Amino acid sequence: RVWIWKALMTARFHHSVYSWDYGSEVKSLIGKPFTPAVKRSEAVRYVREALQINPYVRAVRQVDVTFQNYELTIFCEVETIYGEVRVYV
């Protein structure tokens, strides 16, 4: 659960201490002139990409993304080898 939260909260390609496979690109959507539907679909894709690199993650199931009042909220269900985890970010 901690790894999932940290992977989603860490900006990908921003910190040299992490490999380029680690982190999420969700923050790159800030300030982009995309429609809300495009932003949601891209955010879902970024969440899946960030989590599926971990060999302990079997599947990323339900991913819900909402943009409201300049705030991004992510809910996802992740199936790991240890069981199912629900994450709110």
Side-chain angles (χ1 to χ4, degrees):
R1 177 174 274 189
V2 172
W3 185 92
I4 293 169
W5 182 85
K6 181 119 173 81
L8 292 176
M9 295 301 293
T10 302
R12 192 171 185 186
F13 310 121
H14 187 70
H15 303 284
S16 61
V17 70
Y18 299 116
S19 79
W20 282 31
D21 294 334
Y22 184 78
S24 171
E25 296 177 63
V26 174
K27 290 183 181 181
S28 68
L29 295 173
I30 296 172
K32 299 292 182 184
F34 299 136
T35 64
V38 171
K39 282 186 180 181
R40 271 195 282 299
S41 69
E42 283 295 293
V44 168
R45 182 173 69 88
Y46 290 155
V47 167
R48 289 185 189 280
E49 286 178 356
L51 300 180
Q52 289 177 335
I53 63 137
N54 189 324
Y56 296 106
V57 172
R58 290 185 176 161
V60 180
R61 296 229 167 94
Q62 181 179 353
V63 178
D64 292 325
V65 176
T66 58
F67 290 94
Q68 188 174 13
N69 298 331
Y70 303 103
E71 187 173 285
L72 170 67
T73 305
I74 300 171
F75 166 77
C76 59
E77 292 179 359
V78 181
E79 182 183 334
T80 69
I81 62 170
Y82 303 110
E84 191 169 301
V85 176
R86 293 180 179 192
V87 179
Y88 294 94
V89 179

